Amino acid sequence: MSDIDVIAAVLDRHHHDGTRLMQILREIQEQLGWLAPETLTSVAATVGWPRARVEGTADFYSFFHTRPMGRYRVLWSDNITDRMLGNTDLMDAMCKKLWLEPGRVSEDGLVSVDTTSCTGMCDQGPALLVNYRAITRMTPSRVDDMIELIRKEAPVAEWPAAWFAVEDNIRRKGILLDHGLVPGQALAAALERGPEKMLAEIKDAKLRGRGGAGFGTGLKWEACRNAAGHGAGAAHYVVCNADEGEPGTFKDRVLLTSHADLVFEGMSIAGLVVGAKKGLLYLRGEYRYLLEPLESALAARREAKLLGSNILGTPFEFDIEIHLGAGAYICGEESALIESLEGKPGRPRIRPPFPVTHGYLDQPTTVNNVETLAAACLIATHGSAWYLRHGTEKSSGSKILSVSGDCERPGIYEYPYGVTVRQVLDDCGAWNPQAVQVSGPSGICLAEAEFGRRIAFEDIPTAGAFMAFDETRDMFEVARNFAHFFAHESCGFCTPCRVGTTLVRNLMDKIARNHGSPYDINELFKLHRLMQGASHCGLGNSACNPMFDTLNKFRPAYERRLMSLNYEPAFDLDAALSQARQMTGRDDDAAHFSAHLQKEAEA
């Protein structure tokens, strides 16, 4: 099939609909390797969008490529836990053996090697993506074997299956992971109650969003239900946010792997309550390997009359589509996610209006986390009174934690809300912990004196990440890794975040190179205050949290790098001239910038 035929077939499959641009570009790229200029022109002409608009979307996402990136695209996960497991040395070894610089494509166009943000495999790292397929537990011998397969140009589909094994690593089950429900059981209970009584049950159960913000699920569903649709395409929508890009989080991966029916059933219950006929599951691009199994699960539900029309013999009609993301952390923010679902760059919208009244395609939309929707099934089946018996007064139910870092048993742990941080550390076998990062880089860093605090909305709310650091870890380097993460993931929409995250990253790098001074520490605090108050969305608001926490709780990690009381520039001009001195064969005093400065000072 020619390139033109491939493009035409993909566009036909998506009915030439520009709002499906993300899926159109992904499917074309998977078959052609990259998005050539003529490909973007052809897509734009067919969907009826300006070419600049199509190119804007293609350029925004890390996993879309508008220039060739090699037939084998290797991306090493670069979360702090991957670094603690040795990903940097392994990637360096791979690059040396391939005679390749990170970020470059080999001269024969065969392979490129680079880093990417956390791939959601923190419990089984170091991990990487090869042509966007996840590989876990990398070792030096696996690196050698992988290089041989790349040199032989062996198709990725023929690589050892064991490399692609992704374990659930469920260490502790609670009411959700040990639910015991069969497909259709919760939905049947919801249909028997009817939408009004089901909504009341959700509100009575005090279910709050598990994505971190903790907004009342019943209130969100009620607002969406009460909002009127707009125009000829008036409708209501349910969106499941499975774009868990926060470093250290991987609970949604496990729920979608082993409890997909529970998630889809939760979406169906939400659809029943808000009056939606269609649901959209937004799956992060790093979980591309889950797409086919999830599509199979949806097909099985349609076969069992749990999706489609006349569900379980009632007039209720509802179906679900899966949309795959393309490597943009910001799409975890609900309005940015909706923009992405509509084929646009994932930039947060100005609110109000909120998605519950003007969401997907400008229609009333409820966006809920994977775990939230799964928990709704428990309430539908057992009722609010049963659900309230678990957790605390202000935090009903349970919370799934993704535990990684310095511990013997990384993996998934489910607890009733109210569990202490110390209890989790004991259960996972953490050794000599000095700090815990809860809820990822945008969350909070806890020192040992705070390990008695509780996981609950009234104390430490969390989306699920729980990273342990033992006493040998350098907390400055932990914060520096997070600073690089935020600078990479800023969408660039607002100046405080776009510029601020870059300045923070540069200041942390300057301190790491021993050019820092107390002036730079003060600058970090100033940036923290500015970005918290002036950024457009949560990314910018929380981007300085890791520096703020570690400066307050682990300040010696910073101070031992400060070599001067006075300000020093970050750029070392004399060091930058070293290559020129080497090329010209000069190394006398006159060839050093510092010598000229000294002469000027003496004059």
Side-chain angles (χ1 to χ4, degrees):
M1 186 181 286
S2 70
D3 290 0
I4 294 175
D5 291 337
V6 167
I7 295 168
V10 171
L11 286 164
D12 286 346
R13 188 159 53 250
H14 291 282
H15 311 294
H16 305 177
D17 183 355
T19 64
R20 305 180 67 84
L21 184 61
M22 290 287 292
Q23 309 315 305
I24 291 170
L25 295 179
R26 175 184 61 79
E27 291 181 21
I28 291 174
Q29 181 174 278
E30 284 188 350
Q31 295 183 67
L32 302 184
W34 66 298
L35 301 170
E38 55 271 24
T39 298
L40 298 179
T41 301
S42 176
V43 170
T46 307
V47 303
W49 282 14
R51 189 186 185 285
R53 189 172 171 186
V54 172
E55 188 167 355
T57 295
D59 282 340
F60 181 83
Y61 295 92
S62 297
F63 290 0
F64 288 151
H65 306 297
T66 53
R67 58 189 176 90
M69 296 304 293
R71 295 190 290 283
Y72 295 88
R73 172 82 165 137
V74 180
L75 290 172
W76 286 82
S77 180
D78 199 27
N79 184 25
I80 185 64
T81 53
D82 289 292
R83 290 205 171 196
M84 289 155 60
L85 293 166
N87 74 328
T88 304
D89 291 341
L90 291 171
M91 189 181 84
D92 287 347
M94 173 177 274
C95 287
K96 285 178 183 174
K97 291 175 182 176
L98 287 169
W99 292 79
L100 190 63
E101 285 185 38
R104 298 284 184 89
V105 184
S106 61
E107 291 188 6
D108 59 0
L110 178 65
V111 58
S112 64
V113 179
D114 207 343
T115 59
T116 187
S117 299
C118 179
T119 59
M121 304 289 165
C122 311
D123 56 332
Q124 45 207 298
L128 54 74
L129 302 174
V130 175
N131 293 354
Y132 302 105
R133 303 298 172 131
I135 294 180
T136 60
R137 305 180 195 283
M138 287 300 296
T139 62
S141 65
R142 278 195 179 182
V143 168
D144 292 340
D145 294 342
M146 191 175 291
I147 290 170
E148 284 301 307
L149 290 170
I150 290 172
R151 284 175 174 156
K152 292 177 181 174
E153 301 191 35
V156 174
E158 296 175 9
W159 289 14
W163 293 6
F164 300 92
V166 179
E167 304 294 336
D168 278 354
N169 288 328
I170 296 175
R171 311 293 186 182
R172 189 182 194 282
K173 292 182 178 181
I175 57 173
L176 188 56
L177 294 175
D178 201 19
H179 57 82
L181 303 179
V182 297
Q185 185 177 347
L187 182 55
L191 286 166
E192 187 175 344
R193 277 195 185 90
E196 293 84 4
K197 289 184 178 177
M198 189 62 237
L199 175 60
E201 208 70 26
I202 293 291
K203 292 172 72 175
D204 290 346
K206 300 179 182 178
L207 178 64
R208 299 174 65 171
R210 269 36 176 181
F215 192 80
T217 304
L219 291 175
K220 181 180 281 191
W221 288 7
E222 186 174 44
C224 183
R225 173 186 170 84
N226 291 340
H230 315 286
H236 289 64
Y237 292 98
V238 173
V239 172
C240 175
N241 184 349
D243 192 49
E244 60 169 355
E246 194 76 43
T249 310
F250 46 87
K251 67 178 179 62
D252 293 350
R253 183 199 82 207
V254 175
L255 283 171
L256 291 169
T257 300
S258 298
H259 302 278
D261 263 305
L262 203 65
V263 179
F264 292 144
E265 199 136 323
M267 292 179 70
S268 302
I269 293 170
L272 174 70
V273 171
V274 306
K277 293 182 179 179
K278 186 172 182 178
L280 301 140
L281 186 144
Y282 189 95
L283 181 67
R284 71 181 305 216
E286 288 81 352
Y287 296 165
R288 169 65 182 82
Y289 72 99
L290 284 175
L291 181 59
E292 284 78 14
L294 289 173
E295 292 285 11
S296 297
L298 287 176
R301 289 186 70 82
R302 292 185 190 106
E303 184 71 21
K305 303 296 183 186
L306 296 175
L307 284 176
S309 56
N310 300 117
I311 292 174
L312 292 175
T314 71
F316 178 49
E317 177 182 348
F318 189 76
D319 212 331
I320 296 172
E321 282 184 16
I322 301 172
H323 283 231
L324 201 65
Y329 164 77
I330 191 62
C331 289
E333 197 277 341
E334 63 175 5
S335 67
L337 183 150
I338 290 170
E339 289 283 293
S340 184
L341 282 173
E342 295 178 353
K344 306 170 192 170
R347 296 193 178 97
R349 294 177 177 176
I350 295 173
R351 297 179 293 179
F354 294 95
V356 288
T357 59
H358 295 74
Y360 179 63
L361 302 180
D362 207 31
Q363 302 297 331
T365 304
T366 179
V367 182
N368 295 107
N369 179 262
V370 170
E371 187 180 354
T372 310
L373 291 164
C377 294
L378 300 182
I379 298 167
T381 306
H382 302 293
S384 56
W386 174 87
Y387 195 73
L388 286 168
R389 291 203 294 268
H390 304 86
T392 70
E393 183 178 353
K394 294 183 179 178
S395 306
S396 59
S398 65
K399 186 75 195 86
I400 299 177
L401 299 177
S402 312
V403 177
S404 62
D406 292 317
C407 62
E408 292 177 8
R409 296 175 292 279
I412 292 294
Y413 293 73
E414 184 186 4
Y415 293 95
Y417 270 115
V419 66
T420 65
V421 171
R422 189 173 299 284
Q423 179 66 55
V424 181
L425 289 170
D426 290 344
D427 290 349
C428 71
W431 51 81
N432 302 319
Q434 65 163 328
V436 175
Q437 185 74 29
V438 180
S439 206
S442 63
I444 184 172
C445 181
L446 303 171
E448 186 175 3
E450 301 172 283
F451 290 171
R453 294 181 64 180
R454 297 182 179 277
I455 303 294
F457 290 108
E458 59 268 36
D459 190 0
I460 305 174
T462 174
F466 188 103
M467 292 184 275
F469 302 99
D470 72 21
E471 61 185 10
T472 68
R473 300 299 179 185
D474 184 342
M475 295 309 295
F476 170 83
E477 285 298 336
V478 173
R480 190 160 79 99
N481 177 273
F482 294 159
H484 276 253
F485 166 76
F486 282 119
H488 179 264
E489 296 296 342
S490 173
C491 76
F493 176 79
C494 71
T495 304
C497 178
R498 182 180 66 250
V499 177
T501 53
T502 300
L503 290 175
V504 170
R505 180 198 63 194
N506 292 347
L507 282 170
M508 294 295 282
D509 286 348
K510 178 185 177 185
I511 294 171
R513 293 194 300 269
N514 295 327
H515 289 296
S517 68
Y519 173 88
D520 300 299
I521 301 296
N522 290 334
E523 286 298 295
L524 285 173
F525 280 119
K526 284 181 187 176
L527 285 165
H528 175 62
R529 289 193 294 272
L530 186 148
M531 292 168 66
Q532 271 203 322
S535 295
H536 176 61
C537 76
L539 189 151
N541 287 326
S542 58
C544 283
N545 286 359
M547 279 61 68
F548 184 78
D549 280 345
T550 49
L551 269 167
N552 284 317
K553 299 171 185 177
F554 302 94
R555 199 176 183 93
Y558 288 76
E559 290 179 337
R560 64 171 172 261
R561 289 178 164 86
L562 306 182
M563 297 295 145
S564 172
L565 290 175
N566 301 314
Y567 173 81
E568 282 193 24
F571 182 67
D572 187 342
L573 180 57
D574 194 65
L577 291 171
S578 62
Q579 191 174 8
R581 286 194 295 270
Q582 191 175 24
M583 291 172 65
T584 57
R586 286 191 58 184
D587 198 24
D588 55 281
D589 287 347
H592 284 270
F593 188 67
S594 54
H596 291 284
L597 286 178
Q598 187 174 354
K599 283 184 180 178
E600 287 182 11
E602 290 172 355

